[in-house]
Amino acid sequence: MKEVSVFLDLKSIHNCRDLKGIPTKDGRVIKPGKLIRCGHLASASQEDLSLLQKMPVSDVVDFRSSWEKQTMPDQKVAGSTYHDILMFNESKLGSIENASQMEKIVAENPIDAMAVIYSELLTDPYCINQWKAFFNILLESKGAVVFHCTQGKDRTGLGAILIESLLGVDPELIFDDYMQTNMYMEDHANADSKAVQNALNLDQFEELGTVNPLLFVCPQYYQTAMKTIEEHWGNVDNYLEQVLGIDANMKKQFQDKFLQ
């Protein structure tokens, strides 16, 4: 497993990484202290929050659902603007008639269930509007942007994929950075497993070898995201332009802002 983004050893914030130094195909690199991905900030210590404040962090983007935020509200980074960008279409989730059937599907075939979620995150009109809002925050930010979900692996991972694609990072490095998450998940697997089981009212999960597919990232999830984009829009560049509305001028603004 290859380390691409820089791990920030913050004791109370899980899976925290700076995208700094990741090279792009045109020979530039991502600036340090500008794009920070991580898990939730609910358990963040004052020491770690102070470190983020000193970067300085100007914006915190929380991709989590209302339920996740109510259960584990973020500790706030002083001086930053907090943005609720809920990446799950909660009205759509709420319309599922047979919740127990959904729970059974997740338990019996979590890889397929997660793949469906990745596809929905890219194609659902609600989610598309949320991605647009996220990229507007990035473009207007004055300091570092912290973006996170609960574990910092799926919604956050997909956000990083889109950012790195926009900045011109080679797809192989994007994939490696996506998979890098698994370097930090083992220590939290037991606690996270209990949280997921409680959320879904499940007693156990099918496992992929020794890896629980709901607690780690899998190549299949990344491949599903790429396949979904390719089937609908041909490539990620087209998705960014045609779906998220990032034209050539905006792309240049992003690259000038976040690359050196």
Side-chain angles (χ1 to χ4, degrees):
M1 199 173 299
K2 185 176 181 179
E3 189 169 6
V4 179
S5 51
V6 177
F7 179 67
L8 302 180
D9 191 15
L10 304 183
K11 303 303 182 184
S12 64
I13 303 173
H14 180 40
N15 192 15
C16 190
R17 289 136 68 185
D18 189 339
L19 302 190
K20 69 177 181 179
I22 299 178
T24 61
K25 289 178 285 188
D26 67 1
R28 292 184 284 179
V29 298
I30 297 178
K31 292 179 180 178
K34 293 295 183 182
L35 297 165
I36 311 296
R37 55 172 295 176
C38 61
H40 67 78
L41 307 183
S43 304
S45 66
Q46 284 305 311
E47 180 182 3
D48 286 346
L49 290 171
S50 294
L51 290 173
L52 294 177
Q53 182 185 4
K54 291 174 183 177
M55 280 187 171
V57 170
S58 62
D59 298 87
V60 176
V61 178
D62 190 342
F63 291 144
R64 296 179 299 162
S65 66
S66 298
W67 180 86
E68 290 169 289
K69 292 172 185 177
Q70 290 167 5
T71 305
M72 298 182 295
D74 269 356
Q75 300 293 322
K76 300 299 169 46
V77 179
S80 67
T81 302
Y82 188 87
H83 305 270
D84 282 315
I85 304 292
L86 284 68
M87 285 310 307
F88 287 147
N89 187 341
E90 295 185 349
S91 64
K92 190 171 185 177
L93 291 173
S95 69
I96 297 173
E97 295 180 358
N98 193 341
S100 61
Q101 182 180 1
M102 177 58 67
E103 291 167 1
K104 186 173 184 292
I105 293 171
V106 172
E108 292 180 350
N109 203 333
I111 291 180
D112 285 353
M114 288 296 294
V116 169
I117 289 172
Y118 272 67
S119 182
E120 286 282 310
L121 286 170
L122 290 166
T123 59
D124 185 275
Y126 169 87
C127 297
I128 288 170
N129 284 332
Q130 298 299 79
W131 288 124
K132 289 179 179 178
F134 173 52
F135 276 93
N136 283 335
I137 292 165
L138 291 175
L139 196 57
E140 295 172 4
S141 62
K142 303 300 181 184
V145 178
V146 170
F147 59 103
H148 78 87
C149 49
T150 293
Q151 295 175 289
K153 69 183 186 71
D154 297 308
R155 289 160 289 185
T156 300
L158 193 50
I161 288 169
L162 294 175
I163 290 171
E164 292 167 17
S165 297
L166 177 60
L167 296 180
V169 177
D170 186 275
E172 289 188 10
L173 281 181
I174 295 174
F175 173 74
D176 287 340
D177 185 49
Y178 172 78
M179 293 300 300
Q180 184 178 328
T181 280
N182 285 348
M183 296 174 66
Y184 319 114
M185 303 309 289
E186 192 69 41
D187 290 342
H188 298 262
N190 289 335
D192 289 343
S193 178
K194 291 177 182 176
V196 172
Q197 290 180 48
N198 289 336
L200 295 176
N201 298 315
L202 297 171
D203 294 326
Q204 61 184 7
F205 297 97
E206 295 294 325
E207 293 188 353
L208 179 64
T210 59
V211 175
N212 188 322
L214 295 179
L215 303 178
F216 296 80
V217 294
C218 296
Q220 293 94 321
Y221 306 160
Y222 179 89
Q223 292 159 4
T224 294
M226 293 302 102
K227 183 178 179 182
T228 297
I229 288 173
E230 289 168 4
E231 287 180 348
H232 289 81
W233 300 282
N235 56 52
V236 181
D237 286 340
N238 288 341
Y239 180 81
L240 292 167
E241 181 175 358
Q242 297 171 17
V243 180
L244 301 189
I246 302 173
D247 59 19
N249 180 57
M250 287 182 66
K251 183 175 182 178
K252 184 178 185 305
Q253 289 181 57
F254 273 105
Q255 292 182 343
D256 289 345
K257 179 170 185 174
F258 292 108
L259 298 180
Q260 62 182 23

